Amino acid sequence: MIALPVILSSNGLASEIIFGQDLFITTIDTTGQPGDSIRIVYDSAGIPIDTIRNDSAQPKPLFKDLVKYNADDSVKFSIQEKKVYLYGNGFVKYLATELKADYIELDMDKKLAMATGVLDSVGKLKGTPKFKDGGQEFESTELHYNFDTKKGYVTEIITQEGEGYIQGKITKKMSDSVYCVKHGMYTTCDEHNHPHFGLNMSKAKMIKDKKIFVGFTNLELEGIPLPIFIPFGFFPVTKKATSGIIMPTYGEERMRGFNLRGGGYYIYINDYIDMNITGDIYTNGSWGLQYATQYRKRYKFNGNLNFTISKNYVSEKGLPDYQESSDWSVRWTHTQDGKANPYSSFSASVDMSSANNNYYNANTVNGIANQRKQSSISWSKKWPESPFSLSGSFNHSQNSRDTSIAITLPNLSLRMTQIYPFRKKGKSGEMKWYDNIGVSYSAELRNSIQTKENKLFKSSFERDWNNGFKHNIPISLQFKIAKDVTFTPSLNYNGYLNLKTIEKIWIPDTSAAGGQYITRDVPGLNYSHDYSASGSIGYTPTIYGMFMFKPGCKVVAIRHMIRPSISASYTPAIKPLGKYKKSYFDGEKEIEYDIHEGLTYRPNTTGSKQSGSISFSLDNNIEMKVRNDKDTTGDEEFKKVKLLESFRLSTSYNPFADSMNFSNISISARTKILNNKVDLNFSGTIDPYAIDTNNIRYNKYHGKLGRLTNATISTNFSFSADNGQNKEKKNDLVGGFYDDYVDFDVPWNISVSYNFSYSRSNPYRSPTISQIINFSGDLSLTPKWKLAFQSGYDIKNKEVTSTSFSVTRDLHCWEMTFNCMPFGQHQSYNFEIHVRSSLLRDLKLTKRDSWYDRRL
């Protein structure tokens, strides 16, 4: 006896009747509540006996929930076999399990389902089973499934796991998450019915959202098996990142030999931090080790750290060109989210390496050319409702050409923003003159060294490092004399603290030189100070000029805005505070020297002379207002067009100088044209004084505006088919993971820059002129072919600058790239074909010609 629930129509009558011998049918009304039970009893001949009775006692149902089913063609029942047959787009749903097929057979007694497709008029199988169980979905040609055990047997399965697809001749579903496959294929090609490539697996075991274990596996391309195989392996298919092996890249160099580069292990720690450790190895004994980590905490900070060490050998021991180099590099970037802490910030940008590191280990032209490196780590803290702030930094710079290096550690600064001690808090209304007296404070503590790389870690703190402390107290007063005229007197005090001073000692010598002096450090705290006073007056008005056009003209008006600025400053002569000078006798006369010479901080010990200047600048801006022809609202609309963003002239005059009182005249201009797509910039310097045949300036005006000593003109512009609208969208798409992402959706893109430089310090000699044009871009030759290029031309030297181009071919699930530098010092090429999926990105073929061999 079987008791099954039956789904009723809106009138409460059964729309589908499920069969059975001695069968209880429990009706369910439209509210979902069980109604009367109908008992149908059959005799020995299978003829139903008309026995209908109400029975409130319901037997235990065969299934845990309703079994919903239907078919487009027909539904047949076999009471003897307790089976249901669904023909034509059959559908069965039980709990979270769904099954669709053109033919479905349900065995209610054994709780089994069998589904398959049917042959159409031309003998093609159609309506094949599509099975869904929770988040698991697959297609097959035939399926057997047990609703009770949730196990199944499937032939010709196609299912998606992560980024890839799995096909299997025979598949056994062991549980909701475990499948066993025999004679299958794994591919990341979305043409999974006829994939362009695949990994043929003799057998495999799939664990849902975790991994796939495979036995003997070989590569197949376009249906052709290749003699490339692995005896066993596994593929991670987790939705989250996971640790795993990083496959190396094979290469060959003439000097270092065959190599495997970039192989190692990726370590996934959590969603906030990961790391990878990779290495390089060469057949001549050279090796390298790299460590990299990335970290991110949303709304807090993000960054990455890279550390490398390497040992490089060139040529063979005993040969004249044999070289051995131990190299290292550290690169670290850290950025704090502005919302993390409004009162404290920390950032880092570190790029440090040994002198030869880029020479041996750089992979790009920019990396090779990067001979100057700089680093900065900074921290700052400010207190709310307080004028004080504290900051600290580490700074580094180095030049790999001469191995010089400069380090400042630490560099601490304490600042107090300007306060008004005589101004009452919350005072409003007219201010007295003393209310505008402002006082501020700053202090610095610095420790630095400038030396060679090989001497850095052998340096002495007392002998080689320069350190000291300085603080400054400026007092100023500002008030307006008249409209646009401001007078600002100020008084400035400086104090210096050093850990040592210097002493010069004369050593007589019997040679023709007569002797020489030596300098030695004298340890001990030394405090010194100086002060200065000055006053300045400034006039900064703004003048407007407007030219109006006739009504109906497209151009409405042109506005000219002029911002002249005139300021004068004066500093009186003040004697120095203290005695900070000594002298030594060179055998003929006393020679005076400053005991703070060469130190980080030193006071003004010479005594300031009176000085002053009158500065003048003139800035111009020209804008045009035009009617907008695209407006369709009927209301007259206007838009502003900048004809000249800025044209600036500036100079100064020193009335206390003995001669040549005027400074050089500086000129600069900038604007944009062609709908702000092209930038134009100009800058130059004019010397008002003449120069003699010995290239020495003297106190005579050159005439006219003066001599143009240098000038630069630059312009750059970029054009693309989509005007750059897809750039941000594509960056979000790849998440910044692939630096070599190629956008096939943009037909073309081009960037051009032009730089003109003129220099002529000596009017009796020809000027030095340079002109360089740089251009780069990419072009989609077809929807699948992309050409990118970067080059330039030096007009003066009549030669092409560093040039490279690349060709990329979209092979659907594969990608082919060819990068080439056809000529020059770094002539080389690199060809690679690889799977586009990140999961199988190590499945690739690479051929390269290293520029490293050509430079030796």
Side-chain angles (χ1 to χ4, degrees), residues 496-513:
Y496 313 89
L497 180 66
N498 290 286
L499 299 182
K500 62 182 178 182
T501 56
I502 66 166
E503 181 180 17
K504 292 184 178 182
I505 302 174
W506 180 260
I507 300 178
D509 192 351
T510 57
S511 65

Side-chain angles (χ1 to χ4, degrees), residues 376-379 391-395 408-413 445 447:
S376 175
I377 301 175
S378 59
W379 167 84
S391 64
S393 66
F394 157 80
N395 299 285
T408 301
L409 177 69
N411 186 9
L412 294 175
S413 299
L445 176 65
N447 182 48

Side-chain angles (χ1 to χ4, degrees), residues 156 576 765:
E156 301 291 344
R765 294 182 180 180

Side-chain angles (χ1 to χ4, degrees), residues 297-302 334-346 381:
K297 190 169 184 181
R298 184 176 294 181
Y299 308 124
K300 294 292 185 180
F301 54 79
N302 67 85
H334 178 94
T335 305
Q336 178 178 308
D337 193 304
K339 302 175 183 177
N341 191 330
Y343 303 112
S344 178
S345 65
F346 177 82
K381 170 72 175 178

Side-chain angles (χ1 to χ4, degrees), residues 614 616-618 647-653 661-668 682-689 697 701-711:
I614 301 173
F616 171 80
S617 67
L618 182 66
F647 177 72
R648 181 181 175 85
L649 297 169
S650 63
T651 187
S652 63
Y653 178 82
N661 305 81
F662 281 100
S663 67
N664 290 341
I665 302 172
S666 297
I667 305 175
S668 64
F682 168 79
S683 63
T685 303
I686 295 177
D687 190 341
Y689 293 100
R697 299 170 71 227
Y701 291 111
H702 181 272
K704 298 182 180 180
L705 290 178
R707 294 182 298 108
L708 181 64
T709 58
N710 61 76

Side-chain angles (χ1 to χ4, degrees), residues 50-84:
D50 294 334
T51 305
I52 300 177
R53 68 178 178 85
N54 294 332
D55 191 349
S56 59
Q58 302 179 29
K60 182 179 179 180
L62 181 64
F63 292 88
K64 297 179 181 179
D65 198 2
L66 300 176
V67 179
K68 300 179 181 180
Y69 60 90
N70 58 54
D72 290 349
D73 191 337
S74 60
V75 178
K76 294 185 178 180
F77 305 93
S78 173
I79 297 176
Q80 293 290 340
E81 298 177 349
K82 302 178 183 177
K83 292 183 178 181
V84 179

Side-chain angles (χ1 to χ4, degrees), residues 219-273:
L219 179 64
E220 178 181 300
L221 288 178
E222 294 290 355
I224 302 175
L226 300 180
I228 302 175
F229 64 89
I230 55 174
F232 59 87
F234 78 94
F235 306 104
V237 291
T238 57
K239 294 182 179 179
K240 294 185 177 180
T242 183
S243 303
I245 296 173
I246 301 174
M247 298 298 294
T249 300
Y250 168 79
E252 178 185 357
E253 291 181 6
R254 178 171 58 84
M255 297 306 297
R256 292 188 288 188
F258 298 97
N259 59 72
L260 293 175
R261 302 182 64 178
Y265 197 77
Y266 170 81
I267 303 173
Y268 172 75
I269 300 176
N270 54 43
D271 291 341
Y272 305 103
I273 184 172

Side-chain angles (χ1 to χ4, degrees), residues 323-540:
Q323 296 180 20
E324 181 179 328
S325 178
S326 298
D327 299 297
W328 57 271
S329 71
V330 177
R331 293 178 178 86
W332 178 35
T333 60
H334 178 94
T335 305
Q336 178 178 308
D337 193 304
K339 302 175 183 177
N341 191 330
Y343 303 112
S344 178
S345 65
F346 177 82
S347 64
S349 176
V350 177
D351 184 6
M352 302 179 66
S353 69
S354 58
N356 293 326
N357 182 75
N358 286 23
Y359 181 82
Y360 288 106
N361 301 316
N363 296 320
T364 63
V365 175
N366 292 333
I368 301 163
N370 182 21
Q371 298 296 328
R372 294 184 178 272
K373 304 177 183 66
Q374 293 183 335
S375 304
S376 175
I377 301 175
S378 59
W379 167 84
S380 65
K381 170 72 175 178
K382 59 183 179 181
W383 288 268
E385 300 181 1
S386 170
F388 290 97
S389 63
L390 180 66
S391 64
S393 66
F394 157 80
N395 299 285
H396 143 268
S397 65
Q398 67 179 115
N399 188 338
S400 297
R401 294 185 183 275
D402 59 6
T403 71
S404 62
I405 185 170
I407 292 178
T408 301
L409 177 69
N411 186 9
L412 294 175
S413 299
L414 175 66
R415 296 282 187 271
M416 183 188 77
T417 58
Q418 192 173 58
I419 61 174
Y420 301 92
F422 302 105
R423 184 183 298 179
K424 293 182 180 180
K425 188 175 181 180
K427 182 178 180 180
S428 60
E430 185 178 355
M431 298 287 181
K432 302 294 184 180
W433 67 270
Y434 51 81
D435 289 330
N436 293 320
I437 296 177
V439 180
S440 57
Y441 177 81
S442 65
E444 286 185 357
L445 176 65
R446 182 179 298 179
N447 182 48
S448 62
I449 186 174
Q450 186 166 354
T451 183
K452 298 292 184 179
E453 287 184 19
N454 59 350
K455 297 180 180 180
L456 177 62
F457 295 104
K458 299 177 182 179
S459 61
S460 167
F461 179 79
E462 295 84 2
R463 183 184 66 252
D464 302 316
W465 287 78
N466 291 322
N467 36 62
F469 170 81
K470 171 188 175 182
H471 64 145
N472 167 257
I473 306 175
I475 303 173
S476 63
L477 171 64
Q478 186 179 81
F479 54 88
K480 285 188 176 183
I481 300 177
K483 182 181 180 182
D484 298 326
V485 179
T486 304
F487 176 65
T488 306
S490 63
L491 179 66
N492 202 51
Y493 171 82
N494 296 298
Y496 313 89
L497 180 66
N498 290 286
L499 299 182
K500 62 182 178 182
T501 56
I502 66 166
E503 181 180 17
K504 292 184 178 182
I505 302 174
W506 180 260
I507 300 178
D509 192 351
T510 57
S511 65
Q516 62 179 352
Y517 71 86
I518 61 172
T519 302
R520 70 182 185 92
D521 296 332
V522 180
L525 291 175
N526 177 268
Y527 185 79
S528 56
H529 46 206
D530 61 34
Y531 66 94
S532 62
S534 64
S536 64
I537 186 171
Y539 175 60
T540 55

